[in-house]
Amino acid sequence: MLLASLNPAAVAAGADIDDAVRIDGVTLSRSDLVGAATSVAERVGGAATVAVLARPTPATVLAVVGCLIAGVPVVPVPADVGAAERRHILTDSGAQAWLGERPDDTDGLPHIPVRLHARSWHRYAEPPPDATALIVYTSGTTGLPKGVLLSRRAIAADLDMLAAAWQWTAEDTLVHGLPLYHVHGLVLGLLGSLRIGNRFVYTGKPTPENYAQAVSEGGSLVFGVPTVWSRIVADGDAARALAPARLLVSGSAPLPVPVFDGLAALSGHQPVERYGSTEALITLSTLAAGERRPGWVGLPLEGVTTRLVAEDGTAVPHDGESIGALHLQSPTLFDGYLNRPDATAEVLDADGWYHTGDVAVIDAGGMHRIVGRASVDLIKSGGFRIGAGEIETVLLGHAGVAEAAVIGAPDADLGQRIVAFVVGDAAPDELIDHVAQQLSVHKRPREVRVVDALPRNAMGKVLKKELLQWV
């Protein structure tokens, strides 16, 4: 079953944990979760789809778990989503009610509150493995958000694969402060903990102080995005306080090599890096018991197959240098975009390969390095194919650069010219020379712009399409 550790029979047999979930000042035992979530299941059973305003609260936890027990698909809605985007999500998903917390404007939907202290011990049959568990909407960077259909089978498979890769067990205490409307925070963090049976601690704001405090109280498995890890490294005391943890995991965006090195030096932990998407969940990772190479996201998880494809459809060699489009097959793949067979056909081919939209390199040992999105991170300049991430890594290695993002801007002569946006105090000419000395001359930025901050989304990813508008 998907929520293996929430099996009521296991709780009845004495497998309870007093502090299974700690979130927003509330501590829930495993039996609290079972009783309160089953009460939620009784109130929503039979619904086609419900929306959950995914604030990090006990109500959100119980709403999601209650729907999973009842077999009702959940649409996690970001609390800060705009009104037009929220209306699209609700209309497109066919959500019949708000469950748990509700926004100020409910868009005409009824509201079903979650009662924290209600309890029910009704036994529900496990829904079919292929039933939809979550409908997670993409960020909408290329149009209106699309609803990604994630089955119970795909989620369970991914969590089991990660448990093996990260040696993740019920003895762990998982710590994070990431949004609960995204795969990283909701599926890996919360549902992973409930399936595996470990304790789950939500830090609130993902500050260095909160992470350090959670580890001091027993946190062993710590999830973060690069922005969080960068701030922890900048606060040396917080990074050193993570030493008692077992494993640090970074994802949702590339981890800069200097941050990887800083965590290793200060905490004693080389972080695990992994790669995934809403459509495929997590498919690549370095291993708890394997090599962790800065800038590389590891090997295919068990059951995952990858390939690199050139623009002419031929195979790209696994030489650690050649760039190709990343395709993959996996038991974790989504079941398509809701109401969008056209969009589904664009990324899922007839042979079951998912075309990720990312470009990557693979070395002879099977290690993967993600160059970035084909649309913004593969730069074609003067006849060369250049990965933006390689240049960003070199820029971040300069003492005068705190953050960096590289794009290919349209250029009448070169096709695209390399433009770097940096946060820091280094002179632009100095940075151009620095890249030319470290990499091939044709990879140097033609222009460096020093900015106060880079535009990022809630998961810390740089919004490069917005940067293109700055040129």
Side-chain angles (χ1 to χ4, degrees), residues 27 43-44 53 77 97 167 255-256 259 266 314 318-319 418 435 442 445:
T27 298
R43 307 187 73 192
V44 300
L53 191 65
V77 180
Q167 299 177 354
L255 183 69
V259 178
L266 293 169
T314 59
H318 294 185
D319 57 13
I418 300 170
V435 174
H442 68 264

Side-chain angles (χ1 to χ4, degrees), residues 5 168 174 188-200:
S5 77
W168 181 1
L174 190 153
L188 273 63
L190 177 62
L191 301 188
S193 296
L194 299 182
R195 179 168 182 80
I196 291 166
N198 59 271
R199 290 173 170 83
F200 172 83

Side-chain angles (χ1 to χ4, degrees), residues 112-136:
I112 303 172
V114 166
R115 296 168 180 166
L116 187 60
H117 301 291
R119 297 289 184 270
S120 170
W121 303 107
H122 179 77
R123 298 289 181 86
Y124 280 83
E126 176 73 4
D130 291 330
T132 298
L134 299 173
I135 306 173
V136 181

